Amino acid sequence: MPPRRLRRTLVLGTALGTALATAGAAHAAHNASRLRRAPPGAAWTARRVAVLVPAKDEAARIGALVADLRKQRGVPELAVLVLDDASEDHTAGTAVLAAAGDPRIRVVRATAAPPPGWLGKSAACHRLVGLTPAGTEVLVFVDADVRLAPDAVAAAVRLLDDSELDLVSPWPRLAAQSWAERLVQPLNQWSWLTTLPVRTAERSRRPSLAAANGQFLVIRADTYRRVGGHAAVAGEVLEDLALARAVKRAGGRAAPADGSTLASCRMYRSGRELRDGYAKSLWAAFGSPARAVGPVAALALAYLLPPLAALAGRGALRWCGLAGWGAGVASRVVAAGATGGRAWPDALAHPLSVAAFICLLVDSIQRRRRGRLTWKGRALPTVERPRRTVRRRPPRVPARRPW
């Protein structure tokens, strides 16, 4: 290609990428102003609430969470169930010690492996729901690596009721310390803030317009049973997202929310742990490798090409690239401000974050193809499940009214 035509192509490509990045920043700002948030001040609910904690090899973390659950207030009808999912460490003993005899907290140990066709977390959550007290109205799923504010459970249930939702996912504040965590983890919130129209998604029945985080997930018990619960998503690696989609298919309303004032979470504590954690599930984020091509190309166009043009280009190409880079940084700053994250100087490295995400996605797909996906000693699926040609539509979830 002649140099002049190549330069023109680069300028046009960079301009398109800059436009996409700018649109993403504007959309993130709009979402930030519309994002559901927990009511301020002390919260209280009369609902019968069960907090369910699946835990496998979490002895180092479960004690702090159980201690937080003991401090919960504003929920008179609270039951807490912790399931030690065949851990090889002292998860159960640590949880019992942390419970300190609190009658609201029950620790159960499971020794059996997940049934055929079930993944570990879905099986553990399913078992926990089966242990809930009669009359439970709201189920709150919490991961062992989450820390909760004293009003977290009450405020999350109030948010569910006040918003007339069937499922709400209050996204915990990101607690990232290592360089790898700070580089990659903020993309969790940033991704849906820049792409998902949150208020439209609440009303839509389209499963594609869903976002959920199993770290802290609140769902009405009747809705959970109506959509089939975790039995309906037994083999899904991203069981939280699959559950939100099931709610939408049944006519219910599901949405993410800002949970930064209610909870925090540090998922991974090293670069190796982060890589292994993303490898187990990232391959499923887009449905298939073929479906990942378009989104990855859009990410590269919007967030990699403009910074490269800013660093290596001249004249109009450089200025256009700088504008695109700035738009990407702006979207990260907006996302951090909306979810209680760290903005500076981390947002400046947004191109490196996107590049790292693409590398993690490729690594996840390759590991799956080679049959090398494991998590906490258990193998994960490596073969596509056959698609059903006929699907019976689940019953519609009745519309909710404020309590």
Side-chain angles (χ1 to χ4, degrees), residues 4-32:
R4 181 175 297 179
R5 181 175 298 178
L6 175 61
R7 178 175 176 77
R8 183 180 301 172
T9 301
L10 287 174
V11 170
L12 290 175
T14 302
L16 178 58
T18 296
L20 289 175
T22 302
H27 192 254
H30 177 71
N31 273 340

Side-chain angles (χ1 to χ4, degrees), residues 154-172:
V157 176
R158 276 287 308 277
L159 179 62
L160 182 80
D161 286 345
D162 293 350
S163 304
E164 300 183 63
L165 294 169
D166 294 279
L167 179 152
V168 67
S169 183
W171 228 275

Side-chain angles (χ1 to χ4, degrees), residues 170-234:
W171 228 275
R173 177 179 57 83
L174 174 67
Q177 297 182 21
S178 69
W179 67 266
E181 295 171 85
R182 290 171 61 180
L183 192 66
V184 176
Q185 291 296 79
L187 296 181
N188 280 303
Q189 295 95 321
W190 171 85
S191 60
W192 56 265
L193 276 168
T194 54
T195 59
L196 181 73
V198 290
R199 287 301 178 90
T200 300
E202 285 185 14
R203 301 185 297 271
S204 174
R205 295 183 63 183
R206 295 181 59 184
S208 59
L209 293 180
N213 187 345
Q215 295 169 350
F216 191 13
L217 191 147
V218 186
I219 184 172
R220 300 183 189 278
D222 57 350
T223 300
Y224 179 87
R225 297 185 183 94
R226 198 183 302 269
V227 303
H230 280 87
V233 299

Side-chain angles (χ1 to χ4, degrees), residues 38-62:
W44 189 88
T45 179
R47 302 284 158 226
R48 293 183 176 181
V49 181
V51 177
L52 311 177
V53 184
K56 179 173 175 57
D57 299 332
E58 295 286 3
R61 302 175 180 179
I62 192 66

Side-chain angles (χ1 to χ4, degrees), residues 65 67-73 146-155 216 259-264:
L65 173 62
D68 289 344
L69 289 169
R70 288 182 58 204
K71 299 174 184 175
Q72 292 302 301
R73 58 199 182 197
V146 172
R147 300 299 308 273
L148 296 173
D151 294 302
V153 174
F216 191 13
S260 60
T261 61
L262 307 181
S264 65

